[in-house]
Amino acid sequence: MDADTQPEADFDREWWKEAVVYQIYPRSFNDSDGDGVGDIPGIIEKVPYLDDLGVDVVWLCPVYDSPNADNGYDIRDYHAIMDEMGTMDDWEDLLETVHDHDMRLIMDMVLNHTSDEHEWFVESKDRDSEYSDYYYWRDGEDGELPNNWTSIFGGDAWKYDEEREQYYLHIFDEKQPDLNWRNGDVREDVFEMLHWWLQKGIDGFRLDVINLISKREGLPDGEDNPGWVGWEHVINGPRVHEYISEMHDEVFADYDIMTVAEMPGCGVEDAKQYCGEDGDGLNMIVHFEHADIPYKPGGKWDLQDVDVDLDELDDLDDPDTHFNNWDLNELRDVLTRWQIGLEGDGWNANYLGNHDHPRTVSRFGDSGFFRVASAKLLATLQFTLQGTPFIYQGEEIGMTNVEWESFDELRDVEAIQQTEELMERHDADFEDVRHVVKHRSRDNARTPVQWSDEENAGFTDGEPWIKVNPNHERINVEAAREDEDSIWQYYRELVDLREDNDTLVYGDFHLLYEDHPSVFAYLRTLGDSGVLVVLNCFARNETFTLPPNLDADDPELLIGNYDDAGDDPTEFELRPYEARVYRIS
Ligand code: TEU
């Protein structure tokens, strides 16, 4: 179907709704100078690659000056580029190259916290300084911490500073103190800095944990829970809408940009207040409701979710299955709620993986025998829901989780702290918790992009900063581009399909078969045109029957991940992880 032949319907065209976004985690993308760390010139080399894939927007994870306690999410200087990544001139070249390829660039911006090495924080240790109130400084009482909040990365959320003789709040690592947004000077400085970047010609921001910026007055104790204590006083806090709409009015409203807000703990009703018609003016939300499904019920690093004891782990026939045990009803419910909830009042950011989660195909698909089929199925899901699809680097070739052989191989601040706590809690050694790490560590998503079967996967000529997945000998970009049935080629086809099909971008979502245990099927409609999506999410054979109230008028198969699927969607057999998309009217 051609865009020209589609009926005019009632929707607002926006470039950021039609775009396909590609997320780059620069440390792990491509190293140009052999120091083992990816860098900006390395990204520039690969811009034509992104263009070939059909990407419209590049989201660049932080490259600002940083001591790298959390790989750039701890910013020391918002106006400078970190040495390992290159220079500001390199960054300017990147922006120009991306624009020359008719793509856009959005920058990852971290505003909930800075590095403890940021000038504001260093100055704020002096109670008389103008920055004294830029962070959350509190006294502890009778040797107690100011409250019982814990850090998302493990341990307490407070650290004592000898110089100021007070505690400061850090929701993330102790090297990431939280900014005090109640202070108008903080907001003014932040807004000025955002203008500075926008005036360089960037096309928008991904805003890191931006719904955490307003903490409940008085910082009361949090309820006891196995994960993060205090979250109910931090997420979607009392003044968050005031701050975000102020940022929108003072800054974003002046530019034609895309704003993607990362928001843990954001539900669909909250989302409308941020990105709906009468909301704060953001474009879309990266929420966690589907991404956290395989972690439940005890939180990401709790063993309850596998319902076994650590001691029993080794005896399990298939520990991988235990860790990836998720229920289609749950996923379908979450996605449907967001699809319907934001229809006409907000917009979805459709992602399955990013740098904070293990690899998508290892979590929601099959990283073994059905890797290719299941990765294509997951891509089909992402591209056929209403919303903007986000590809995380390496997803386009179906990169998988890694076997972590020893504690020393871990690099991520969260993985290191949580693994240490896990070993301590269970009096275990690394070997005993290896499976947990394999299925939970963010390092899985941070192993270098596998460009080729060469040493270090063609990522670097030096010593890589993090382990390279040995399966790069099989799974790599070079091989994928040569193979016409590869996941990579399938992504290309999906990009083209979505580009030519307004129904896939703007069409309404209608769920079919509410509780089928394996098949997720839905219809997208726009005016008279309809697209049927049928996804068999597991390795079982199933039968699909078109509901009798639906007519398939002159149907056509638009895309599928098996060769010989027919054009008739009325009734058919679905093979393991089979995905089919039909035009049905
Ligand atoms: O992440 C925010 C966040 O809360 C989670 O992604 C969390 O780090 C993870 O799920 C813990 O299991 C953002 C960034 O994406 C992440 O890389 C940073 O570490 C974090 O903020 C702090 O800036």
Side-chain angles (χ1 to χ4, degrees):
M1 183 169 11
D2 193 88
D4 302 338
T5 64
Q6 293 193 37
E8 271 310 309
D10 182 22
F11 57 84
D12 295 330
R13 283 193 183 279
E14 297 284 359
W15 64 263
W16 44 266
K17 291 185 176 174
E18 297 180 8
V20 172
V21 180
Y22 188 94
Q23 182 192 351
I24 292 185
Y25 194 71
R27 279 185 96 71
S28 309
F29 191 67
N30 186 34
D31 175 24
S32 73
D33 61 4
D35 68 353
V37 176
D39 49 39
I40 294 174
I43 300 172
I44 296 174
E45 276 172 27
K46 299 292 183 186
V47 170
Y49 165 78
L50 300 174
D51 198 0
D52 288 351
L53 183 60
V55 169
D56 302 298
V57 174
V58 174
W59 149 18
L60 190 63
C61 287
V63 290
Y64 318 96
D65 176 46
S66 163
N68 282 313
D70 187 16
N71 293 345
Y73 285 91
D74 47 324
I75 300 176
R76 181 165 48 201
D77 182 350
Y78 288 103
H79 298 94
I81 299 295
M82 81 168 82
D83 288 344
E84 284 168 313
M85 293 290 154
T87 62
M88 191 57 88
D89 284 346
D90 293 329
W91 181 87
E92 304 274 358
D93 281 352
L94 172 64
L95 180 66
E96 202 181 316
T97 313
V98 167
H99 284 170
D100 284 349
H101 282 259
D102 278 335
M103 296 190 275
R104 308 193 201 222
L105 183 71
I106 67 172
M107 296 290 279
D108 206 324
M109 190 44 83
V110 190
L111 304 175
N112 175 68
H113 45 268
T114 65
S115 162
D116 66 338
E117 296 180 30
H118 192 288
E119 185 197 347
W120 297 339
F121 187 77
V122 175
E123 295 276 336
S124 84
K125 293 181 182 189
D126 173 359
R127 292 175 192 234
D128 297 327
S129 123
E130 60 178 300
Y131 299 104
S132 169
D133 194 30
Y134 266 49
Y135 296 83
Y136 284 90
W137 289 103
R138 293 290 182 278
D139 292 321
E141 268 176 50
D142 306 326
E144 300 269 316
L145 298 174
N147 68 24
N148 68 348
W149 297 1
T150 56
S151 150
I152 293 182
F153 292 159
D156 296 319
W158 295 96
K159 166 123 202 242
Y160 190 71
D161 181 73
E162 299 286 346
E163 193 179 327
R164 171 132 173 173
E165 297 182 327
Q166 271 189 315
Y167 291 93
Y168 65 86
L169 176 68
H170 62 90
I171 298 294
F172 293 90
D173 188 59
E174 62 183 48
K175 285 189 66 63
Q176 295 168 295
D178 283 57
L179 277 168
N180 174 17
W181 274 67
R182 283 177 304 179
N183 181 342
D185 293 343
V186 168
R187 303 204 295 278
E188 209 172 295
D189 277 349
V190 163
F191 298 164
E192 200 178 302
M193 178 274 290
L194 295 174
H195 275 295
W196 189 83
W197 278 104
L198 286 162
Q199 277 159 20
K200 285 181 171 290
I202 62 168
D203 305 290
F205 290 114
R206 178 262 189 190
L207 299 162
D208 191 64
V209 291
I210 199 68
N211 64 331
L212 268 50
I213 56 179
S214 164
K215 279 79 175 167
R216 189 162 315 281
E217 210 56 47
L219 314 183
D221 274 348
E223 282 189 25
D224 209 11
N225 74 55
W228 166 26
V229 176
W231 63 270
E232 69 275 30
H233 303 306
V234 174
I235 57 173
N236 307 322
R239 293 180 67 183
V240 71
H241 295 294
E242 176 194 329
Y243 300 153
I244 294 182
S245 38
E246 186 182 335
M247 176 158 59
H248 174 266
D249 297 349
E250 297 285 319
V251 186
F252 302 155
D254 296 349
Y255 308 85
D256 175 24
I257 54 166
M258 167 174 182
T259 49
V260 187
E262 189 211 26
M263 296 196 170
C266 177
V268 70
E269 291 309 315
D270 305 312
K272 285 186 200 177
Q273 297 182 46
Y274 293 112
C275 71
E277 284 282 289
D278 300 320
D280 304 332
L282 298 175
N283 294 151
M284 60 187 99
I285 311 297
V286 166
H287 70 87
F288 285 62
E289 291 199 339
H290 63 303
D292 282 351
I293 286 175
Y295 301 150
K296 288 173 76 170
K300 185 173 181 180
W301 291 89
D302 195 282
L303 292 178
Q304 289 172 41
D305 60 341
V306 287
D307 210 19
V308 285
D309 253 280
L310 255 192
D311 308 335
E312 294 169 27
L313 253 189
D314 284 345
D315 304 331
L316 291 175
D317 289 340
D318 186 1
D320 291 346
T321 309
H322 275 267
F323 279 94
N324 287 331
N325 206 354
W326 58 275
D327 180 0
L328 179 58
N329 280 315
E330 217 179 325
L331 182 69
R332 179 171 36 217
D333 287 353
V334 170
L335 293 178
T336 303
R337 198 164 64 239
W338 280 81
Q339 288 288 296
I340 291 173
L342 295 191
E343 220 151 65
D345 195 19
W347 191 250
N348 278 289
N350 294 328
Y351 78 100
L352 290 170
N354 60 35
H355 63 295
D356 290 335
H357 296 286
R359 285 281 172 186
T360 303
V361 72
S362 303
R363 302 180 82 204
F364 292 108
D366 173 5
S367 55
F369 189 74
F370 292 113
R371 186 184 65 88
V372 173
S374 64
K376 289 178 181 175
L377 172 129
L378 293 165
T380 314
L381 171 66
Q382 255 185 299
F383 274 74
T384 58
L385 290 171
Q386 192 188 66
T388 300
F390 283 66
I391 307 171
Y392 177 62
Q393 65 183 35
E395 227 164 49
E396 74 276 25
I397 54 166
M399 280 178 61
T400 67
N401 286 351
V402 187
E403 292 290 345
W404 300 98
E405 307 291 344
S406 72
F407 183 78
D408 298 342
E409 287 183 344
L410 302 185
R411 294 289 176 272
D412 171 34
V413 56
E414 180 197 47
I416 290 172
Q417 277 174 216
Q418 296 284 10
T419 304
E420 266 169 355
E421 281 187 22
L422 195 62
M423 294 193 296
E424 222 172 272
R425 225 168 32 239
H426 295 273
D427 192 21
D429 56 28
F430 185 76
E431 199 48 40
D432 300 322
V433 301
R434 218 155 69 84
H435 255 97
V436 185
V437 178
K438 174 174 170 188
H439 293 285
R440 295 294 181 261
S441 171
R442 306 195 296 184
D443 284 325
N444 283 300
R446 300 174 180 190
T447 63
V449 171
Q450 295 163 203
W451 296 105
S452 69
D453 63 1
E454 287 160 39
E455 202 181 350
N456 297 327
F459 161 72
T460 181
D461 294 336
E463 186 63 34
W465 71 279
I466 189 171
K467 177 171 177 159
V468 175
N469 195 327
N471 69 16
H472 71 269
E473 289 176 8
R474 249 178 337 111
I475 303 171
N476 61 67
V477 169
E478 207 173 275
R481 293 192 68 169
E482 278 163 17
D483 170 5
E484 59 181 39
D485 287 329
S486 68
I487 301 166
W488 196 90
Q489 306 290 358
Y490 192 82
Y491 267 90
R492 264 236 42 83
E493 285 172 44
L494 281 170
V495 169
D496 286 348
L497 182 66
R498 190 173 175 279
E499 199 171 283
D500 292 342
N501 195 316
D502 280 343
T503 309
L504 281 180
V505 180
Y506 293 105
D508 287 348
F509 171 96
H510 311 268
L511 180 65
L512 307 177
Y513 296 112
E514 279 172 20
D515 48 15
H516 195 292
S518 320
V519 178
F520 189 5
Y522 45 92
L523 201 61
R524 302 286 311 281
T525 59
L526 186 70
D528 293 337
S529 94
V531 173
L532 169 73
V533 181
V534 183
L535 308 167
N536 180 21
C537 300
F538 298 102
R540 308 186 269 269
N541 291 309
E542 295 288 347
T543 306
F544 176 80
T545 315
L546 194 68
N549 60 331
L550 285 181
D551 278 340
D553 192 12
D554 189 21
E556 180 197 349
L557 182 77
L558 296 175
I559 194 167
N561 61 353
Y562 278 79
D563 265 353
D564 49 353
D567 269 329
D568 182 6
T570 322
E571 182 165 334
F572 55 88
E573 294 300 309
L574 281 160
R575 289 153 286 189
Y577 294 102
E578 181 158 9
R580 296 191 190 189
V581 181
Y582 286 100
R583 179 176 60 77
I584 63 164
S585 57

Short mmCIF file of all heavy atoms in Angstrom, two decimals, residues 531-556:
data_model
loop_
_atom_site.label_atom_id
_atom_site.label_comp_id
_atom_site.label_asym_id
_atom_site.label_seq_id
_atom_site.Cartn_x
_atom_site.Cartn_y
_atom_site.Cartn_z
N VAL A 531 -4.83 -3.38 8.90
CA VAL A 531 -3.66 -4.27 8.90
C VAL A 531 -3.83 -5.25 10.06
O VAL A 531 -4.14 -4.84 11.19
CB VAL A 531 -2.35 -3.47 9.07
CG1 VAL A 531 -1.18 -4.40 9.24
CG2 VAL A 531 -2.12 -2.55 7.88
N LEU A 532 -3.68 -6.52 9.75
CA LEU A 532 -3.81 -7.58 10.75
C LEU A 532 -2.42 -8.07 11.13
O LEU A 532 -1.60 -8.37 10.25
CB LEU A 532 -4.61 -8.74 10.13
CG LEU A 532 -4.64 -10.05 10.92
CD1 LEU A 532 -5.52 -9.92 12.17
CD2 LEU A 532 -5.14 -11.19 10.03
N VAL A 533 -2.14 -8.14 12.43
CA VAL A 533 -0.84 -8.63 12.89
C VAL A 533 -1.07 -9.87 13.73
O VAL A 533 -1.87 -9.86 14.67
CB VAL A 533 -0.13 -7.55 13.74
CG1 VAL A 533 1.23 -8.04 14.22
CG2 VAL A 533 0.00 -6.24 12.97
N VAL A 534 -0.38 -10.96 13.39
CA VAL A 534 -0.53 -12.22 14.12
C VAL A 534 0.86 -12.69 14.55
O VAL A 534 1.74 -12.90 13.70
CB VAL A 534 -1.21 -13.30 13.25
CG1 VAL A 534 -1.42 -14.57 14.05
CG2 VAL A 534 -2.54 -12.80 12.69
N LEU A 535 1.05 -12.81 15.86
CA LEU A 535 2.37 -13.17 16.39
C LEU A 535 2.24 -14.40 17.28
O LEU A 535 1.55 -14.37 18.30
CB LEU A 535 2.92 -12.01 17.23
CG LEU A 535 2.94 -10.63 16.56
CD1 LEU A 535 3.20 -9.53 17.60
CD2 LEU A 535 3.99 -10.58 15.47
N ASN A 536 2.92 -15.47 16.89
CA ASN A 536 2.94 -16.67 17.73
C ASN A 536 4.18 -16.58 18.61
O ASN A 536 5.29 -16.88 18.16
CB ASN A 536 2.96 -17.91 16.83
CG ASN A 536 2.99 -19.18 17.65
OD1 ASN A 536 2.62 -19.19 18.82
ND2 ASN A 536 3.45 -20.27 17.04
N CYS A 537 4.01 -16.18 19.86
CA CYS A 537 5.15 -15.74 20.68
C CYS A 537 5.99 -16.85 21.30
O CYS A 537 6.93 -16.55 22.04
CB CYS A 537 4.65 -14.81 21.78
SG CYS A 537 3.85 -13.35 21.11
N PHE A 538 5.67 -18.09 21.09
CA PHE A 538 6.46 -19.17 21.69
C PHE A 538 6.80 -20.24 20.65
O PHE A 538 6.40 -20.14 19.50
CB PHE A 538 5.71 -19.76 22.88
CG PHE A 538 5.47 -18.75 23.96
CD1 PHE A 538 4.22 -18.15 24.10
CD2 PHE A 538 6.50 -18.34 24.81
CE1 PHE A 538 4.00 -17.18 25.07
CE2 PHE A 538 6.28 -17.37 25.78
CZ PHE A 538 5.03 -16.79 25.92
N ALA A 539 7.52 -21.28 21.12
CA ALA A 539 8.02 -22.30 20.20
C ALA A 539 6.99 -23.42 19.97
O ALA A 539 7.37 -24.55 19.69
CB ALA A 539 9.33 -22.87 20.74
N ARG A 540 5.71 -23.13 20.12
CA ARG A 540 4.67 -24.15 19.90
C ARG A 540 3.97 -23.85 18.59
O ARG A 540 3.86 -22.70 18.19
CB ARG A 540 3.61 -24.05 21.00
CG ARG A 540 4.13 -24.07 22.41
CD ARG A 540 2.96 -24.11 23.38
NE ARG A 540 2.51 -22.79 23.79
CZ ARG A 540 2.97 -22.14 24.86
NH1 ARG A 540 3.91 -22.69 25.62
NH2 ARG A 540 2.51 -20.95 25.20
N ASN A 541 3.44 -24.89 17.95
CA ASN A 541 2.61 -24.66 16.77
C ASN A 541 1.22 -24.27 17.23
O ASN A 541 0.73 -24.77 18.24
CB ASN A 541 2.52 -25.93 15.93
CG ASN A 541 3.86 -26.24 15.28
OD1 ASN A 541 4.47 -25.38 14.65
ND2 ASN A 541 4.33 -27.44 15.48
N GLU A 542 0.59 -23.38 16.50
CA GLU A 542 -0.75 -22.91 16.85
C GLU A 542 -1.56 -22.73 15.57
O GLU A 542 -0.99 -22.68 14.48
CB GLU A 542 -0.67 -21.55 17.57
CG GLU A 542 0.03 -21.56 18.90
CD GLU A 542 -0.77 -22.24 20.01
OE1 GLU A 542 -1.98 -22.50 19.81
OE2 GLU A 542 -0.17 -22.53 21.07
N THR A 543 -2.88 -22.62 15.75
CA THR A 543 -3.71 -22.31 14.59
C THR A 543 -4.32 -20.94 14.79
O THR A 543 -4.74 -20.61 15.90
CB THR A 543 -4.88 -23.33 14.50
OG1 THR A 543 -4.30 -24.62 14.50
CG2 THR A 543 -5.69 -23.12 13.23
N PHE A 544 -4.38 -20.17 13.73
CA PHE A 544 -5.05 -18.86 13.82
C PHE A 544 -6.29 -18.85 12.94
O PHE A 544 -6.26 -19.32 11.80
CB PHE A 544 -4.11 -17.73 13.37
CG PHE A 544 -4.80 -16.39 13.37
CD1 PHE A 544 -4.97 -15.68 14.55
CD2 PHE A 544 -5.32 -15.86 12.18
CE1 PHE A 544 -5.63 -14.45 14.55
CE2 PHE A 544 -5.99 -14.63 12.19
CZ PHE A 544 -6.14 -13.93 13.38
N THR A 545 -7.38 -18.35 13.49
CA THR A 545 -8.60 -18.20 12.70
C THR A 545 -9.05 -16.75 12.81
O THR A 545 -9.14 -16.20 13.91
CB THR A 545 -9.74 -19.08 13.27
OG1 THR A 545 -9.19 -20.35 13.56
CG2 THR A 545 -10.87 -19.22 12.29
N LEU A 546 -9.31 -16.16 11.68
CA LEU A 546 -9.77 -14.77 11.68
C LEU A 546 -11.16 -14.71 12.32
O LEU A 546 -12.04 -15.49 11.95
CB LEU A 546 -9.84 -14.27 10.23
CG LEU A 546 -9.98 -12.77 10.02
CD1 LEU A 546 -8.72 -12.03 10.46
CD2 LEU A 546 -10.31 -12.48 8.56
N PRO A 547 -11.37 -13.82 13.30
CA PRO A 547 -12.69 -13.76 13.92
C PRO A 547 -13.77 -13.56 12.86
O PRO A 547 -13.58 -12.80 11.90
CB PRO A 547 -12.60 -12.54 14.84
CG PRO A 547 -11.15 -12.34 15.09
CD PRO A 547 -10.44 -12.85 13.87
N PRO A 548 -14.91 -14.25 13.01
CA PRO A 548 -15.94 -14.25 11.96
C PRO A 548 -16.51 -12.87 11.64
O PRO A 548 -16.97 -12.64 10.53
CB PRO A 548 -17.05 -15.15 12.55
CG PRO A 548 -16.64 -15.48 13.93
CD PRO A 548 -15.24 -15.10 14.14
N ASN A 549 -16.41 -11.93 12.60
CA ASN A 549 -16.95 -10.59 12.30
C ASN A 549 -16.02 -9.75 11.44
O ASN A 549 -16.32 -8.63 11.09
CB ASN A 549 -17.26 -9.86 13.61
CG ASN A 549 -16.03 -9.69 14.47
OD1 ASN A 549 -15.10 -10.51 14.40
ND2 ASN A 549 -15.96 -8.64 15.25
N LEU A 550 -14.83 -10.31 11.10
CA LEU A 550 -13.89 -9.53 10.28
C LEU A 550 -13.87 -10.04 8.85
O LEU A 550 -13.77 -11.24 8.62
CB LEU A 550 -12.47 -9.66 10.84
CG LEU A 550 -12.14 -8.87 12.10
CD1 LEU A 550 -10.69 -9.11 12.46
CD2 LEU A 550 -12.38 -7.38 11.86
N ASP A 551 -13.92 -9.11 7.91
CA ASP A 551 -13.81 -9.47 6.50
C ASP A 551 -12.39 -9.26 6.04
O ASP A 551 -11.81 -8.22 6.33
CB ASP A 551 -14.68 -8.54 5.66
CG ASP A 551 -16.12 -8.99 5.68
OD1 ASP A 551 -16.33 -10.17 6.01
OD2 ASP A 551 -16.99 -8.14 5.41
N ALA A 552 -11.86 -10.22 5.34
CA ALA A 552 -10.56 -9.99 4.72
C ALA A 552 -10.82 -9.73 3.24
O ALA A 552 -10.93 -10.66 2.45
CB ALA A 552 -9.66 -11.18 4.93
N ASP A 553 -10.93 -8.47 2.92
CA ASP A 553 -11.28 -8.09 1.56
C ASP A 553 -9.98 -7.95 0.75
O ASP A 553 -9.16 -7.10 1.06
CB ASP A 553 -12.01 -6.73 1.67
CG ASP A 553 -12.68 -6.35 0.39
OD1 ASP A 553 -12.75 -7.23 -0.50
OD2 ASP A 553 -13.10 -5.19 0.28
N ASP A 554 -9.80 -8.80 -0.25
CA ASP A 554 -8.61 -8.74 -1.09
C ASP A 554 -7.33 -8.69 -0.25
O ASP A 554 -6.52 -7.76 -0.35
CB ASP A 554 -8.72 -7.49 -1.98
CG ASP A 554 -7.63 -7.47 -3.04
OD1 ASP A 554 -7.08 -8.55 -3.34
OD2 ASP A 554 -7.32 -6.37 -3.53
N PRO A 555 -7.12 -9.70 0.62
CA PRO A 555 -5.99 -9.64 1.55
C PRO A 555 -4.64 -9.80 0.86
O PRO A 555 -4.55 -10.35 -0.23
CB PRO A 555 -6.25 -10.84 2.48
CG PRO A 555 -7.03 -11.80 1.65
CD PRO A 555 -7.87 -10.98 0.71
N GLU A 556 -3.62 -9.32 1.54
CA GLU A 556 -2.25 -9.46 1.00
C GLU A 556 -1.28 -9.57 2.17
O GLU A 556 -1.39 -8.81 3.15
CB GLU A 556 -1.93 -8.19 0.20
CG GLU A 556 -0.54 -8.19 -0.40
CD GLU A 556 -0.08 -6.78 -0.82
OE1 GLU A 556 -0.91 -5.84 -0.84
OE2 GLU A 556 1.12 -6.64 -1.09
#
